[in-house]
Amino acid sequence: MSPSRQRPFHGIRVLDLTHVLAGPFCAYQLALLGADVVKIEPPQMPDTARGRGPDDALNAVGLGINYLVQGSNKRSLALDLASEEGRAILLDLVDGTDVLVENYRAGALEALGLGAQALCARNPRLIHCSITGFARGHEREAVNAYDNVIQAASGVMARTTGRSGEPVKSGASFIDYATGYAAAFAISAALFQRQASGKGQVIDCAMFDTALTLMAPEAAAALYEGPVQPRPKEAGLGTYETADGLLMLGAFNARQNRRLWEALDRPDFAALDGWPALWGAAQAMREALVPIMLTRSASEWEDYLHAIGIPAERVRTLDEAARLPHLRERGFYHALDAALTGAAPVTVPLAPFTYAAAGPAIDRPPPRLGEHSAEILAGIGRSPAEVEALRAQGVIA
């Protein structure tokens, strides 16, 4: 590949000291765009994502689907940071590293002499990113967090209710993924900043803050102390029963509302102008839509509404959505070779964006635990004999 066609992070070295989802997903974004990402895991306690997924055989060998979807393009070093030798190896790796991403509990790496301050003092160009539950530097910093508890703590669940009215967790770990994207964006900006300053950066990316950012209008409204008028549920935004399933209607703006009611031959609603009038008629419009939506199937309504420029989609299962033809047509998926004899190949999402050239791509499969330990240690001057001695001591695997 010519230099002009190299991916954006070609030549960038990343140490990935993360586990489960948000952190590994962040490092995966950098790897897709060309960074050399070294995933570092304790030999006796690897990333728990390795053992999670629908296939028990893959889980048993540390290649669970939850790991495979965010492990490609990385190299694996199984390293015991609790040992003196392991810490010395990490420090040597930091010398030639551009980015370090970690999501250890607060204080854990500092206790080992491997906190952000120590590492950035050793390598002033290092961009150090901590992915945390509630951010550092306050009374909640030591509270452990996963996506589900952040959904509960942040108000996301309180605003997401089932038919019974009880708060429910989203079926997707979207806060983890959004946090991973936010961290990857912050790292990208810090790399750009370093080009001018020559200095690294320390980043703290919090899941709780990400959740509130995803609800920015709602959070701002909750904090607002001025006059607040109650708003009814808009008729053009919601699910309706059709002849054979649910349809989500997305007539968000006034023009779309007008087109909708003109098409449905309701000039009285089409003539309403301005949001106060539309909100005032919301209940009447919803009552009118209920029987109308029952006259066609969800697919028929999709075709009809798309033709007049109204966003609307039937409520699909994930199995249906993942198989929509346009995803494969645009190269959204990458098929990994079978990770285990007798197992089926695993197809993983690549990225939600494309480049005209040198964009996100998978070059190597997700590594087994410690698959590249010897190779990585050789890169920092450890001899084959030293590597074997470290392996015998359990420092590496």
Side-chain angles (χ1 to χ4, degrees):
M1 184 178 290
S2 67
S4 63
R5 292 298 186 181
Q6 289 172 342
R7 274 173 271 170
F9 294 128
H10 177 81
I12 296 296
R13 167 71 63 84
V14 178
L15 297 183
D16 175 7
L17 279 71
T18 69
H19 58 280
V20 186
L21 209 170
F25 184 71
C26 165
Y28 179 54
Q29 302 315 299
L30 306 178
L32 288 176
L33 290 173
D36 175 18
V37 176
V38 175
K39 183 174 177 64
I40 298 177
E41 306 165 74
Q44 304 304 320
M45 193 180 295
D47 188 346
T48 57
R50 287 182 174 274
R52 290 182 174 269
D55 189 324
D56 287 340
L58 290 176
N59 297 341
V61 296
L63 295 172
I65 284 181
N66 288 25
Y67 163 72
L68 295 181
V69 297
Q70 56 199 19
S72 294
N73 288 5
K74 299 181 183 182
R75 296 188 291 160
S76 173
L77 168 60
L79 182 66
D80 181 10
L81 296 179
S83 69
E84 183 178 350
E85 296 89 344
R87 293 192 291 275
I89 288 169
L90 182 70
L91 290 172
D92 285 348
L93 287 170
V94 164
D95 289 341
T97 289
D98 299 287
V99 177
L100 184 145
V101 190
E102 60 90 7
N103 63 350
Y104 277 63
R105 61 179 174 79
L109 291 177
E110 283 80 0
L112 296 174
L114 301 174
Q117 184 174 359
L119 298 184
C120 291
R122 185 176 178 106
N123 177 1
R125 288 177 56 81
L126 180 69
I127 292 164
H128 185 288
C129 179
S130 294
I131 295 180
T132 60
F134 293 93
R136 305 288 197 223
H138 56 82
E139 72 279 1
R140 293 185 67 86
E141 72 171 4
V143 176
N144 291 332
Y146 290 107
D147 181 281
N148 61 334
V149 296
I150 294 294
Q151 287 195 35
S154 64
V156 167
M157 282 180 58
R159 297 185 64 87
T160 309
T161 56
R163 295 201 172 193
S164 66
E166 293 184 359
V168 295
K169 175 191 174 297
S170 166
S173 298
F174 69 95
I175 295 174
D176 265 329
Y177 283 111
T179 303
Y181 273 130
F185 173 71
I187 290 166
S188 302
L191 286 167
F192 183 76
Q193 182 185 52
R194 192 182 69 175
Q195 288 183 341
S197 70
K199 297 178 181 179
Q201 185 62 269
V202 176
I203 301 165
D204 184 350
C205 186
M207 295 172 65
F208 187 79
D209 297 12
T210 299
L212 292 177
T213 300
L214 293 172
M215 298 188 295
E218 293 81 3
L223 295 171
Y224 185 62
E225 296 182 354
V228 175
Q229 289 77 38
R231 298 297 186 209
K233 188 174 182 180
E234 295 175 46
L237 302 177
T239 54
Y240 291 88
E241 293 281 357
T242 71
D244 70 348
L246 288 172
L247 181 85
M248 173 60 80
L249 189 60
F252 181 76
N253 62 46
R255 294 188 304 278
Q256 290 166 341
N257 266 279
R258 186 177 304 111
R259 285 202 301 273
L260 172 67
W261 291 113
E262 287 173 348
L264 297 179
D265 197 24
R266 286 297 302 264
D268 52 336
F269 291 145
L272 295 174
D273 188 26
W275 284 114
L278 289 168
W279 280 323
Q283 182 60 30
M285 289 192 289
R286 178 166 287 278
E287 291 173 358
L289 279 171
V290 168
I292 293 173
M293 290 293 113
L294 291 170
T295 62
R296 305 183 189 203
S297 70
S299 294
E300 289 170 337
W301 276 119
E302 272 187 340
D303 293 341
Y304 179 81
L305 293 168
H306 291 174
I308 59 172
I310 303 296
E313 296 289 333
R314 64 185 178 87
V315 177
R316 292 177 173 83
T317 66
L318 178 56
D319 284 350
E320 290 179 289
R323 289 174 170 79
L324 286 173
H326 78 276
L327 293 172
R328 292 190 182 277
E329 291 168 6
R330 71 185 299 270
F332 176 69
Y333 291 124
H334 179 95
L336 301 172
D337 293 335
L340 190 66
T341 301
V346 175
T347 298
V348 300
L350 187 57
F353 58 87
T354 61
Y355 281 17
I362 289 177
D363 306 309
R364 67 166 85 208
R368 292 174 179 266
L369 179 66
E371 181 176 337
H372 304 97
S373 293
E375 171 189 307
I376 293 165
L377 294 185
I380 55 171
R382 300 302 197 270
S383 70
E386 289 176 301
V387 169
E388 286 309 311
L390 290 167
R391 184 171 281 117
Q393 297 166 26
V395 176
I396 67 168

